[in-house]
Amino acid sequence: MSGRPNWELYFHTIAAAVALRGDCIRSQVGAVLVSPDNRIVSTGYNGSPPGGPSCHRGECPRCLSDAPSGSSYDGCVEIHAEANALLYANRADCIGATLYVTREPCDACSKMIRAAGIKTVRWPFQPAGRLTCNAGVTKVEDNESAPLTEEEERALSHREAYELARGTPARRYRTSGIR
C-alpha cells in the first residue's frame, strides 16, 4: 500500500477496528464520531451495559432467537455502536459532525443521530439507491457504476487496509442527499 489514506477510508478503518470490541455474537458494529475539522470526538461499539446481561454469555433473548438480521431489536440487551458514540460525546461536538459506522443505523439510532445534530452518516456496503428517511441527515449511497473522482481513485489504492481491518471486501461509497 502506498501513500496516505483519505479521511473517509481512515475513519472507516478506525470504525472497523472499534467494531472488533463489539459484544454481540450476531454482529459487531463500530462507530466513529468526527468533527467537521476531521478530529475524532468519540467512538462506540455495540455492547452490553456495564454489569448488565451479556450477549457473549448467552443472555440476549434476541441473539438466542431466530429473528432475522435487521428486524425488530426488541429484546436486544446491547447498546448500539451509534448510541454509545453519542453517549460519550458532548452535545456541542455533535452539531455538524459526521458519524462513520460499519453498517446502516437502525431506525432508533437514526432518530438519535438526527436529534444529536449529526450532519452526515457514512457507512460502506449500502445497496445502490437505498436511502432512508432522515430529513437533514446525509447518508451514503454505494454507486458502483458512477465514474470515480480523483480522490476515490486514491482511496481504492488503500482498500486493502480496510479489507484487512474488517475482513470483508471494501467498496467505494459516495455521499447522497436524503429524499
Side-chain angles (χ1 to χ4, degrees):
M1 178 168 66
S2 64
R4 189 174 180 196
N6 65 20
W7 289 114
E8 189 100 3
L9 180 66
Y10 174 70
F11 294 126
H12 273 295
T13 303
I14 292 171
V18 170
L20 297 173
R21 290 280 307 151
D23 186 46
C24 181
I25 58 174
R26 292 179 73 172
S27 179
Q28 292 178 305
V29 181
V32 178
L33 185 62
V34 179
S35 69
D37 63 346
N38 291 319
R39 302 289 179 210
I40 295 174
V41 173
S42 67
T43 63
Y45 54 86
N46 55 333
S48 303
S54 168
C55 197
H56 270 299
R57 293 191 305 260
E59 300 166 334
C60 179
R62 185 173 190 284
C63 281
L64 296 174
S65 75
D66 57 357
S69 180
S71 65
S72 173
Y73 288 96
D74 295 341
C76 177
V77 299
E78 303 288 303
I79 297 173
H80 290 189
E82 304 90 332
N84 270 322
L86 294 175
L87 283 169
Y88 290 99
N90 292 321
R91 166 83 171 136
D93 292 332
C94 293
I95 305 299
T98 298
L99 184 66
Y100 293 86
V101 292
T102 56
R103 66 182 294 179
E104 181 177 8
C106 69
D107 289 341
C109 286
S110 293
K111 289 178 192 176
M112 283 189 288
I113 290 164
R114 187 173 61 239
I118 305 298
K119 180 181 177 186
T120 308
V121 178
R122 300 180 189 263
W123 71 93
F125 319 122
Q126 181 181 7
R130 175 124 191 255
L131 298 175
T132 56
C133 61
N134 274 329
V137 177
T138 302
K139 290 196 174 184
V140 172
E141 178 179 3
D142 182 349
N143 190 341
E144 284 291 322
S145 60
L148 294 176
T149 65
E150 188 175 313
E151 186 172 323
E152 288 171 326
E153 286 285 356
R154 284 193 302 274
L156 285 177
S157 68
H158 299 286
R159 182 166 80 185
E160 298 82 16
Y162 188 85
E163 291 173 350
L164 181 63
R166 192 67 190 135
T168 57
R171 290 169 43 191
R172 63 182 174 267
Y173 34 82
R174 62 181 69 231
T175 301
S176 295
I178 298 298
R179 293 185 200 123

